[in-house]
Amino acid sequence: MIFVDACFGKKTPYTPVWMMRQAGRYLPEYRAVRESAGGFIGLCKDYKKASEVTIQPVDILGVDAAILFSDILVLPMEMGLELEFVAGKGPVFHNPVLTKEDIKRLDVKSAVKNLSYVYDTVKLTRDNLKKDKALIGFAGAPWTVATYMIEGGSTKSYNICKKMLYTQPELLHEILAKVTEGTKLYLENQIKAGVNAVQIFDSWAGALERDVYLQFGWRYILEIADYIKAKYPEIPVIAFPKGIGSYLDSIGGNFDVFGVSWDTPIRMARNKLSDRYTLQGNMEPCRLYSKETIKSSVTKILNIMDGYPHIFNLGHGILPDVPVENAKYFIKLVQEMSAR
Ligand code: CP3
């Protein structure tokens, strides 16, 4: 699999490419299956339909890897938090975690077991996916997942979880430790079911000061990565802490691929990290709105990463109103322009 080879820094015939959120609303085929499953959570729980939408971008766009269709929030949901996706608002947890008692109620063991629909999705997808295409499993990083658990949904200011961080840091660490424990076992079960790599999404890493992030965010990612690498050295681990470009010098640890978000110049990431990690990224997702800006960005990024270990991707997820034709153009352009 050229995706896995690239994760380990091996030479590949071209630069493999996939997109974060590649199974999603910009695809009419996705919207049709989601409708038939009665909504997003229903789709995550229906392993046959989840597997179908996982494979859609491989068939429609020709990406080099499929990413398991699910969400980072199914883990806390199965720990006992009541999750709803509200139109126009995003995810809502009706019983957020604010006290010691709330933390006690979080049931890690049951969650890991109850996520069997995810493992079934992985098995079926690996059976149906072309042999040369990788299947990426994933989880949210404990910090990002905890922001939803504590705030009860998406937030712009993070004031509830930051208040906990600065006034009751040990309480936040308890939540993070519990999510970390669940995430290790959850990713391990995805690997046992057949994923070829795992990605840890820390979408809100950039919301914290450097030293605070290293202590409350990054260290838990490293703990998960250490656990996976010790048991499954052949499975690449991709770390994606979004928005920490200003302190790449503080970044190290036992993982294989570093995801570069679009706010970080990839040349800078290359200079600081390419001797140790394959880089993944980092086209600004809104460049997909125009073929001209796709072409200028792909050309620039490929030039900078020429000869360095690289997986092409966006610097965050694809947006729902991107024309499918532009996404197709992007994938084909990367594969053709990088052919060696
Ligand atoms: O294609 C893929 O990338 C795989 C599937 C995937 C989804 N969510 C599907 C999804 C993955 C890897 C995620 C990760 C995820 N989920 C993250 C981390 C990555 C990131 O984007 O920062 C986060 C923060 C979440 C939480 C989440 N899930 C939010 C905030 C939302 C609502 C935002 C929105 O776009 O409506 C979701 C819903 C969600 N997850 C959708 C999809 C396809 C849209 C739901 C729908 O179909 O209506």
Side-chain angles (χ1 to χ4, degrees):
M1 287 178 209
I2 92 158
F3 173 84
V4 172
D5 285 347
C7 288
F8 288 126
K10 295 185 189 153
K11 289 259 177 290
T12 53
Y14 60 88
T15 304
V17 56
W18 67 283
M19 292 186 294
M20 288 185 273
R21 286 282 174 95
Q22 66 189 13
R25 284 170 296 192
Y26 73 103
L27 287 176
E29 293 86 347
Y30 165 82
R31 296 198 299 269
V33 179
R34 181 180 125 214
E35 206 63 36
S36 77
F40 177 68
I41 297 176
L43 179 51
C44 291
K45 287 187 172 175
D46 182 327
Y47 74 97
K48 287 186 185 153
K49 288 182 175 166
S51 173
E52 186 182 345
V53 298
T54 301
I55 296 175
Q56 278 175 353
V58 177
D59 292 340
I60 297 167
L61 310 173
V63 290
D64 294 287
I67 181 161
L68 162 69
F69 186 84
S70 186
D71 197 82
I72 64 166
L73 301 180
V74 296
L75 177 64
M77 175 178 82
E78 295 297 355
M79 284 181 178
L81 297 192
E82 205 186 308
L83 176 63
E84 189 188 351
F85 280 87
V86 180
K89 204 172 161 200
V92 173
F93 281 123
H94 292 290
N95 48 347
V97 179
L98 296 165
T99 65
K100 249 190 152 39
E101 288 65 45
D102 295 335
I103 300 174
K104 258 202 210 104
R105 275 196 290 273
L106 297 172
D107 188 345
V108 172
K109 279 216 173 84
S110 300
V112 172
K113 207 168 99 225
N114 292 345
L115 287 161
S116 57
Y117 51 87
V118 175
Y119 317 137
D120 290 340
T121 304
V122 171
K123 281 187 205 129
L124 183 63
T125 306
R126 198 49 278 177
D127 281 349
N128 290 337
L129 196 61
K130 294 186 190 84
K131 294 286 162 273
D132 60 331
K133 305 285 186 182
L135 176 59
I136 305 167
F138 72 91
W143 160 248
T144 288
V145 172
T147 65
Y148 290 95
M149 295 169 74
I150 297 165
E151 300 276 343
S154 300
T155 170
K156 285 204 168 77
S157 58
Y158 307 88
N159 52 315
I160 306 174
C161 47
K162 286 190 179 183
K163 183 174 174 190
M164 186 185 288
L165 193 158
Y166 291 111
T167 62
Q168 299 173 280
E170 66 297 333
L171 203 62
L172 180 57
H173 275 307
E174 256 184 69
I175 298 173
L176 294 166
K178 243 178 155 167
V179 177
T180 300
E181 185 195 342
T183 305
K184 287 178 190 170
L185 303 173
Y186 179 45
L187 288 177
E188 178 166 24
N189 283 349
Q190 291 182 29
I191 292 169
K192 285 181 179 161
V195 299
N196 308 107
V198 293
Q199 175 155 330
I200 304 167
F201 286 89
D202 213 353
S203 306
W204 314 132
L208 296 175
E209 302 155 81
R210 181 190 64 183
D211 293 351
V212 175
Y213 178 64
L214 294 175
Q215 204 187 330
F216 287 84
W218 186 243
R219 64 170 267 206
Y220 291 104
I221 293 185
L222 293 187
E223 196 181 317
I224 295 163
D226 278 341
Y227 179 84
I228 300 293
K229 292 310 298 186
K231 290 184 107 168
Y232 308 95
E234 74 287 3
I235 299 292
V237 172
I238 308 165
F240 178 57
K242 184 175 183 290
I244 64 158
S246 62
Y247 53 93
L248 293 177
D249 290 318
S250 314
I251 291 305
N254 193 9
F255 56 94
D256 305 285
V257 180
F258 184 83
V260 184
S261 50
W262 62 267
D263 43 83
T264 302
I266 199 156
R267 183 188 301 278
M268 185 172 86
R270 183 199 79 184
N271 291 344
K272 291 183 191 284
L273 298 173
S274 273
D275 57 334
R276 290 174 289 152
Y277 304 109
T278 293
L279 296 187
Q280 178 174 276
N282 77 337
M283 191 174 91
E284 139 78 287
C286 292
R287 282 184 175 266
L288 283 175
Y289 289 123
S290 141
K291 287 191 178 171
E292 285 74 42
T293 55
I294 293 171
K295 190 158 190 191
S296 61
S297 187
V298 168
T299 306
K300 183 174 171 197
I301 293 170
L302 285 178
N303 276 333
I304 293 170
M305 292 309 294
D306 190 24
Y308 294 86
H310 183 213
I311 293 160
F312 218 109
N313 204 313
L314 306 176
H316 203 180
I318 182 172
L319 293 160
D321 59 345
V322 166
V324 179
E325 194 200 326
N326 290 20
K328 277 188 194 164
Y329 173 77
F330 163 62
I331 299 299
K332 197 153 177 271
L333 190 68
V334 171
Q335 291 167 336
E336 286 180 359
M337 282 186 77
S338 65
R340 359 187 201 262

